[in-house]
């Protein structure tokens, strides 16, 4: 069911891509030009003739030109002259210009024409035919611009220019630069439906009947009174009509009107984590004059301190992770397949909830969460009106003027996604506890409740640092103010206050909106034992660019919060930059009852200092050729069993009880062979976890993420590169093999590199040095079907993988 659901959902989305001439929403990502560098005058046609040609999405901060322009020491896209330094991973922003030309048909020229930018980082100025028509200050906020008054007649070329500025120190993490999400051309009749004014509320179920309320806005932008009918059909994923109705409208000139219908879906399939069933609402105005298709899911939500969070009447513990928006080697560029892969990886890792930290995600990220059954906390702001502890040039400069618009964008754009269960109004806001902060909290939560009448909850993420910034004395005073007006209190790194705060506020619902990886045990114990604690969101689920080295585990004496050059990624995720599990992920498998026992070996150090977001230098291998049986190796076994035994080559090395963090620690000398950890219950050995010593390298192995690819020009193949021994085991120890990557046929190499947080030369390189035995190649299909050949070679080995790219229709 889930695979079919996934297929049908993205097939429905395909109705808005180029090639469907009647579509009101047409993707115009292809055929842009770009120039990097600041300008004082508008570019002439002669100047733009030499601009670089590219397709969107695009992020210039992971390209080399910006870094080379900045100067200093430069390695790939990294520069010691980076304004953001460790915060942006030593990448460079600046100013860039984009150009696209287009011509309207006669039919389009009679309609309203708008352009829709899903995301442009950071400040963007839009010009059409030489006239500035829009300024947007918030790079994560989607926006639309009505181009109709400024367009040329049918058959004449229109010139669209976008100036993008990512200047000064405006972000605490890697944001990327440029038009990093999709761009759409919207064409509608002058009397039309408003997709951002359409809501499908489907969070009430009576027996087996789903109660669905559909409300849409009809805009009459003509000089005459308009009247007609709107027909609403609810369709299942087999294209059957399961409910329908019709409602009339009458609208004065230059006005709008709401049209609403309440419909019942008998024997409703509920949207759930394991079966994320999606219906769609087809809204048709006056015999196809205008038409919308809105996917939605029927599900119930309930939050309470007594029963926790319930989905469809069943209690769900939120196994949550915070995620930033970047895609590692791709930077911030929001390719659809990259968004899908991120959600798929995290779902496979056991996550059932993701927090969009700390900004609006892409639309397709939410589409992927809808189709795969992933719950979402949708978050809008990292700043309100003050910036203490953050950056002087960040969004707080624009919040007073633009926050209403940006909050409204989040609600109007995202409201119909069944995956969203909470709206977050801010993260670690310095002014949160002040009188003005309480006023803003009331304003933002009121906006949510006025627009979203469903059972979704509001929240905000707060911690003790904010308390100091707000000038509030004492946790008790802070706790009374920090979560005023929100439904769920989001605690960042404050699990020690859960029980004491519950005694004072017994009806308060708590969620851990951020937690340290090494404190996952006590955090999750509280989630499992206290119903008012509905979940825990670790920082972070995946590695990301920027906040360089906050997950470091360096020697004692290095007390930097962040790490200096050449660090460039956070290194604090459960999953690394190329999608592989890290040691803390194996630990979390035990916490979440996904595995009965796991094990890791700590790299021998005399001393180390592990940061709050870090993890000890553990590895899932037993290959240490530089050590011997007199070298003490620290072995950590993670288990919920009452007793754990450790064997080396069949010899018992010891047995012990796991501590309160479910860790059993052993020390033994190194001898090659088989290291085996075993659970013991009631005196009987049960589940086991093994690590074996690998032999010498024997081959390079190439593994693609999927079997089917399409010649859409936008499909991505993720090819994992591994150095393996004769038995196919990955050689993760001391495997610094350098490889060369090439692609031919119906594909091109979009990016390649490794998960290393410090190897700048291997980031987006065609000749990366393997990190822990692995690298990744990301291949983009062309518009021509055929074979794609990926060849990876080293001094010793060479391997070629052939993938098939099929025509879009046949691949479906």
């Amino acid at each position: 069911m889930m695979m079919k659901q996934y297929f049908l959902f993205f097939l429905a989305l395909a109705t808005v891509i180029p090639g469907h001439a009647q579509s009101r929403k047409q993707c115009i990502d292809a055929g842009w030009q770009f120039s990097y560098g600041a300008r004082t005058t508008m570019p002439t046609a002669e100047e733009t003739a030499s601009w670089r040609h590219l397709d969107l999405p695009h992020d210039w901060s992971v390209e080399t030109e910006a870094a080379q322009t900045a100067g200093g020491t430069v390695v790939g896209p990294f520069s010691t002259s980076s304004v953001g330094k460790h915060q942006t991973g030593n990448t460079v922003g600046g100013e860039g210009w984009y150009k696209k030309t287009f011509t309207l048909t006669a039919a389009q020229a009679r309609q309203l024409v708008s352009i829709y930018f899903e995301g442009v980082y950071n400040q963007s100025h839009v010009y059409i035919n030489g006239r500035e028509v829009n300024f947007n200050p918030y790079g994560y906020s989607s926006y639309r611009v009505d181009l109709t008054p400024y367009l040329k007649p049918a058959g004449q070329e229109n010139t669209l220019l976008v100036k993008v500025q990512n200047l000064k120190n405006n972000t605490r993490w890697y944001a990327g630069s440029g038009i990093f999400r999709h761009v759409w051309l919207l064409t509608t009749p002058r009397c039309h439906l408003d997709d951002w004014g359409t809501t499908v509320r489907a969070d009430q179920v009576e027996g087996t009947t789903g109660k669905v309320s559909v409300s849409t806005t009809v805009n009459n932008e003509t000089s005459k009174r308009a009247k007609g009918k709107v027909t609403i059909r609810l369709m299942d994923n087999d294209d059957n009509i399961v409910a329908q109705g019709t409602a009339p409208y009458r609208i004065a000139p230059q006005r709008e009107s709401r049209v609403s219908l309440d419909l019942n879906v008998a024997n409703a399939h509920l949207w759930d984590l394991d079966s994320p069933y999606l219906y769609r609402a087809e809204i048709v105005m006056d015999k196809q004059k205008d038409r919308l298709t809105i996917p939605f899911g029927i599900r119930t939500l309930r939050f309470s301190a007594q029963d926790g969070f319930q989905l469809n009447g069943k209690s769900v513990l939120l196994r949550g992770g915070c995620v930033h928006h970047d895609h590692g080697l791709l930077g911030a560029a929001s390719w659809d397949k990259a968004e899908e892969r991120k959600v798929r990886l995290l779902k496979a890792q056991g996550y059932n909830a993701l927090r969009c930290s700390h900004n609006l995600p892409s639309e397709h990220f939410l589409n992927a969460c809808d189709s795969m059954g992933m719950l979402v906390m949708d978050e809008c702001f990292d700043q309100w009106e003050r910036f203490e502890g953050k950056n002087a040039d960040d969004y707080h400069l624009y919040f007073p003027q633009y926050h209403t618009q940006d909050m409204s964008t989040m609600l109007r754009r995202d409201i119909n996604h069944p995956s969203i269960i909470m709206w977050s109004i801010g993260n670690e806001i310095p002014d949160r506890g002040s009188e003005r902060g309480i006023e803003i909290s009331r304003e933002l939560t009121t906006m949510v409740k006025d627009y979203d009448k469903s059972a979704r909850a509001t929240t905000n993420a707060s911690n003790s640092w904010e308390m100091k910034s707000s000038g509030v004395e004492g946790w008790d005073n802070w706790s009374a103010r920090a979560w005023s007006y929100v439904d769920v209190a989001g605690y960042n790194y404050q699990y020690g206050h859960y029980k004491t705060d519950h005694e004072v506020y017994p009806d308060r619902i708590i969620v851990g909106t951020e937690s340290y990886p090494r404190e996952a045990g006590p955090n999750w114990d509280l989630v499992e034992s206290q119903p008012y604690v509905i979940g825990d969101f670790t920082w972070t689920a995946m590695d990301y660019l920027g906040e360089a080295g906050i997950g470091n585990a360096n020697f004692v004496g290095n007390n930097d919060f962040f790490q200096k050059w050449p660090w460039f990624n956070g290194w604090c995720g459960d999953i690394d930059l190329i999608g592989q599990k890290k040691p803390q992920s194996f630990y979390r498998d035990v916490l979440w009852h996904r595995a009965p026992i796991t094990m890791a070996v700590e790299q021998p150090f005399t001393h180390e200092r592990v940061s709050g977001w870090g993890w000890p230098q553990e590895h899932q291998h037993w290959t240490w050729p530089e050590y011997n049986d007199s070298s003490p190796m620290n072995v950590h076994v993670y288990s919920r069993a009452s007793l754990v035994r450790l064997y080396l080559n069949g010899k018992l090395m010891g047995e012990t009880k796991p501590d309160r963090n479910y860790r059993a620690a052993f020390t033994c000398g190194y001898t090659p062979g088989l290291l085996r950890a075993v659970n013991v219950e009631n005196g009987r050995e049960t589940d086991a976890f093994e690590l074996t010593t690998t032999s010498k390298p024997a081959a390079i192995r190439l593994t693609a993420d999927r079997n089917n690819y399409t010649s859409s020009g936008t499909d991505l193949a993720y090819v994992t590169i591994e150095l393996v021994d004769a038995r196919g085991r990955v050689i993760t120890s001391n495997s610094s093999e350098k490889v060369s990557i090439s692609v031919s046929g119906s594909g091109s190499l979009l990016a390649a590199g490794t998960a290393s947080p410090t190897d700048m030369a291997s980031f987006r390189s065609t000749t990366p040095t393997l990190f822990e035995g692995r690298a990744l190649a990301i291949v983009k299909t062309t518009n021509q079907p055929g074979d794609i050949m990926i060849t990876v070679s080293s001094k010793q080995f060479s391997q070629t993988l052939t993938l098939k790219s099929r025509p879009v229709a046949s691949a479906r």
Side-chain angles (χ1 to χ4, degrees):
M1 173 65 74
M2 185 171 178
M3 289 303 297
K4 180 181 180 183
Q5 181 66 49
Y6 180 86
F7 163 76
L8 288 171
F9 179 72
F10 288 108
L11 183 60
L13 291 180
T15 61
V16 296
I17 66 174
H20 295 259
Q22 303 304 315
S23 175
R24 71 196 317 267
K25 184 179 179 183
Q26 186 178 27
C27 185
I28 57 170
D29 285 349
W32 289 72
Q33 291 176 271
F34 173 72
S35 175
Y36 179 76
R39 302 185 58 90
T40 57
T41 61
M42 292 289 287
T44 64
E46 290 75 16
E47 289 174 315
T48 61
S50 62
W51 286 10
R52 169 186 164 198
H53 291 265
L54 55 75
D55 295 337
L56 304 178
H58 176 237
D59 174 9
W60 78 64
S61 286
V62 288
E63 298 176 343
T64 58
E65 183 178 7
Q68 290 169 351
T69 302
T73 300
V74 175
V75 180
F78 308 105
S79 168
T80 54
S81 296
S82 164
V83 173
K85 297 189 181 304
H86 55 266
Q87 292 188 96
T88 61
N90 297 298
T91 59
V92 177
E95 179 174 310
W97 286 72
Y98 295 84
K99 176 184 176 181
K100 184 174 179 63
T101 59
F102 62 96
T103 303
L104 298 181
T105 64
Q108 288 175 320
R110 292 191 294 270
Q111 296 186 312
L112 298 174
V113 180
S114 300
I115 193 166
Y116 169 37
F117 293 91
E118 282 196 33
V120 186
Y121 200 89
N122 190 19
Q123 283 80 46
S124 55
H125 301 257
V126 179
Y127 306 85
I128 185 70
N129 296 325
R131 181 167 181 174
E132 184 170 3
V133 292
N134 194 74
F135 167 71
N136 189 71
Y138 191 30
Y140 300 112
S141 189
S142 303
Y143 64 94
R144 299 177 174 188
V145 185
D146 183 7
L147 302 181
T148 310
Y150 317 106
L151 295 174
K152 295 181 179 180
Q156 296 185 26
E157 187 175 81
N158 297 281
T159 300
L160 176 70
L161 287 168
V162 185
K163 179 174 74 171
V164 185
Q165 295 175 309
N166 181 8
L167 306 176
K168 300 181 180 178
N169 202 0
N170 62 68
T171 177
R172 297 191 298 118
W173 58 88
Y174 179 85
S177 302
I179 306 178
F180 70 105
R181 291 176 179 164
H182 296 308
V183 181
W184 306 85
L185 195 67
L186 309 179
T187 54
T188 61
R190 292 183 180 271
C191 186
H192 61 93
L193 300 168
D194 181 1
D195 56 336
W196 278 14
T198 299
T199 61
V200 182
R201 180 181 173 185
D203 67 335
Q204 297 181 46
V205 176
E206 294 182 1
T208 61
T209 299
K211 315 290 285 187
V212 181
S213 298
V214 183
S215 182
T216 191
T217 301
V218 182
N219 289 323
N220 180 17
E221 299 188 42
T222 73
S223 58
K224 298 180 180 179
R225 181 178 296 275
K227 66 177 183 178
K229 293 181 179 179
V230 172
T231 299
I232 299 173
R233 301 184 185 93
L234 305 185
M235 315 289 292
D236 66 16
N237 65 17
D238 290 319
D239 293 330
N240 299 309
I241 298 174
V242 295
Q244 62 180 326
T246 302
Y249 66 86
R250 293 176 179 271
I251 318 173
Q254 302 300 316
R255 292 290 186 270
E256 64 180 39
S257 178
R258 296 290 286 177
V259 176
S260 301
L261 278 175
D262 293 330
L263 300 170
N264 293 331
V265 177
N267 300 313
H269 298 278
L270 301 187
W271 185 94
D272 210 331
L273 299 176
D274 297 324
S275 180
Y277 194 97
L278 290 170
Y279 293 88
R280 66 183 189 275
E282 293 189 352
I283 305 169
V284 182
M285 176 182 170
D286 298 329
K287 298 180 180 180
Q288 308 295 329
K289 183 178 182 180
D290 197 13
R291 181 189 188 97
L292 293 175
T293 299
I294 310 291
F296 71 95
I298 299 173
R299 84 282 187 269
T300 65
L301 307 176
R302 183 173 180 269
F303 297 83
S304 74
Q306 293 71 39
D307 300 313
F309 168 66
Q310 294 181 317
L311 176 65
N312 300 325
K314 298 178 181 178
S315 295
V316 174
L317 306 181
L318 299 181
R319 301 192 301 267
C322 299
V323 291
H324 275 317
H325 66 292
D326 77 83
H327 295 286
L329 300 174
L330 299 178
S334 180
W335 296 89
D336 286 355
K337 291 302 179 184
E339 301 287 7
E340 293 170 30
R341 179 178 183 261
K342 177 183 285 186
V343 178
R344 187 167 58 247
L345 284 173
L346 293 170
K347 179 85 173 181
Q349 190 48 48
Y351 287 93
N352 63 16
L354 299 176
R355 176 184 176 217
C356 302
S357 313
H358 306 289
N359 46 261
L360 274 66
S362 73
E363 284 199 51
H364 201 76
F365 173 84
L366 295 175
N367 293 338
C369 290
D370 291 342
S371 68
M372 297 185 205
M374 180 69 77
L375 303 173
V376 173
M377 181 189 298
D378 205 353
E379 191 161 79
C380 202
F381 303 117
D382 190 53
Q383 309 88 11
W384 289 351
E385 293 180 349
R386 290 165 53 183
F387 72 91
E388 291 92 334
K390 299 193 177 182
N391 291 302
D393 300 299
D394 63 23
Y395 178 71
H396 86 279
L397 298 171
Y398 300 97
F399 183 91
Q401 181 178 352
Y402 288 93
H403 72 277
T404 300
Q405 171 184 310
D406 292 328
M407 189 74 180
S408 176
T409 293
M410 178 177 78
L411 295 169
R412 287 163 55 83
R413 191 196 74 167
D414 297 348
I415 192 168
N416 294 314
H417 289 280
S419 56
I420 297 174
I421 61 170
M422 282 185 276
W423 305 107
S424 173
I425 61 174
N427 171 69
E428 296 179 351
I429 303 296
D431 34 348
R432 183 63 184 85
S434 67
E435 292 302 321
R436 175 58 181 153
I438 293 174
E439 181 183 337
I440 293 172
S441 179
R442 179 173 60 245
E443 176 191 357
L444 296 178
T445 53
T446 298
M447 284 185 65
V448 173
K449 297 301 182 182
D450 286 348
Y451 194 76
D452 185 0
K453 303 298 183 182
S454 76
R456 289 188 181 104
T458 56
T459 188
N460 67 272
S462 295
N463 64 10
S464 58
W465 167 80
E466 288 172 84
M467 176 180 73
K468 299 172 185 176
S469 298
S470 296
V472 177
E473 295 293 334
W475 179 264
D476 291 343
N477 291 327
W478 171 252
S479 186
R481 303 167 70 88
W483 296 285
S484 51
Y485 299 105
V486 296
D487 302 311
V488 176
Y491 285 56
N492 283 8
Y493 313 106
Q494 303 297 319
Y495 75 91
H497 291 290
Y498 288 180
K499 288 186 176 181
T500 53
D501 279 8
H502 177 66
E503 292 175 0
V504 180
Y505 307 100
D507 291 326
R508 175 176 289 179
I509 306 164
I510 293 174
V511 63
T513 33
E514 290 181 28
S515 64
Y516 296 122
R518 286 184 298 147
E519 294 179 350
N523 271 281
W524 193 249
D525 285 348
L526 286 165
V527 175
E528 291 192 326
S529 64
Q530 308 299 322
Y532 59 88
V533 183
I534 63 174
D536 176 59
F537 289 74
T538 187
W539 192 270
T540 56
M542 293 188 76
D543 278 347
Y544 55 92
L545 303 177
E547 289 196 308
I550 66 167
N552 73 86
N554 285 343
F555 294 121
V556 168
N558 185 348
N559 293 314
D560 290 338
F561 183 75
F562 297 102
Q563 297 297 289
K564 296 181 174 63
W565 181 279
W567 281 80
F568 62 89
N569 90 43
W571 194 242
C572 54
D574 274 20
I575 297 175
D576 69 22
L577 214 61
I578 65 171
Q580 299 295 323
K581 286 169 69 76
K582 291 168 64 181
Q584 57 263 46
S585 174
F586 289 89
Y587 170 57
R588 203 175 303 279
D589 285 344
V590 171
L591 284 186
W592 287 348
H593 306 276
R594 288 168 40 82
I597 184 172
T598 63
M599 176 171 54
V601 181
E602 187 172 9
Q603 186 168 341
F605 282 139
T606 304
H607 299 287
E608 68 175 349
R609 181 195 65 86
V610 182
S611 80
W613 294 273
W615 194 260
Q617 293 272 24
E618 290 184 345
H619 301 269
Q620 262 70 41
H621 71 76
W622 188 244
T623 305
W624 303 91
E626 64 272 40
Y627 299 105
N628 53 47
D629 59 3
S630 64
S631 304
M633 310 294 291
N634 295 321
V635 179
H636 300 154
V637 179
Y638 298 103
S639 171
R640 289 177 172 272
S642 57
L643 187 68
V644 171
R645 290 173 182 160
L646 183 69
Y647 294 90
L648 177 56
N649 295 324
K651 180 181 179 181
L652 180 64
M653 307 306 292
E655 62 180 33
T656 189
K657 296 179 179 180
D659 62 19
R660 64 186 298 269
N661 288 314
Y662 310 105
R663 187 181 83 160
F666 298 89
T667 301
C668 66
Y670 174 70
T671 301
L674 174 65
L675 188 69
R676 190 169 190 264
V678 185
N679 281 341
V680 180
E681 295 287 4
N682 299 319
R684 186 174 65 89
E685 294 187 352
T686 57
D687 301 288
F689 189 93
E690 297 179 348
L691 298 174
T692 59
T693 304
T694 55
S695 55
K696 65 180 182 179
I700 289 174
R701 182 170 62 202
L702 305 181
T703 307
D705 62 329
R706 292 178 289 128
N707 294 322
N708 294 316
Y709 300 92
T710 65
S711 57
S712 61
T714 59
D715 202 354
L716 303 184
Y718 283 77
V719 179
T720 300
I721 302 164
E722 295 171 312
L723 184 66
V724 298
D725 67 9
R727 294 173 59 185
R729 298 172 298 188
V730 180
I731 301 173
T732 60
S733 175
N734 297 322
S735 53
S736 55
E737 191 99 353
K738 191 167 187 176
V739 297
S740 176
I741 305 167
S742 63
V743 177
S744 60
S746 297
S748 61
L749 185 63
L750 188 62
T754 73
S756 171
T758 58
D759 184 3
M760 291 178 165
S762 290
F763 181 81
R764 291 177 65 89
S765 169
T766 59
T767 57
T769 299
L770 299 183
F771 176 71
E772 296 185 346
R774 292 186 175 96
L776 179 72
I778 306 174
V779 177
K780 183 172 75 73
T781 63
T782 67
N783 294 114
Q784 296 297 318
D787 289 346
I788 305 171
M789 285 71 70
I790 302 103
T791 298
V792 179
S793 303
S794 69
K795 289 182 178 180
Q796 301 181 73
F797 312 107
S798 183
Q799 186 65 260
T800 297
L801 175 68
T802 300
L803 304 177
K804 296 284 186 181
S805 173
R806 297 177 172 85
V808 174
S810 66
R812 290 175 181 168

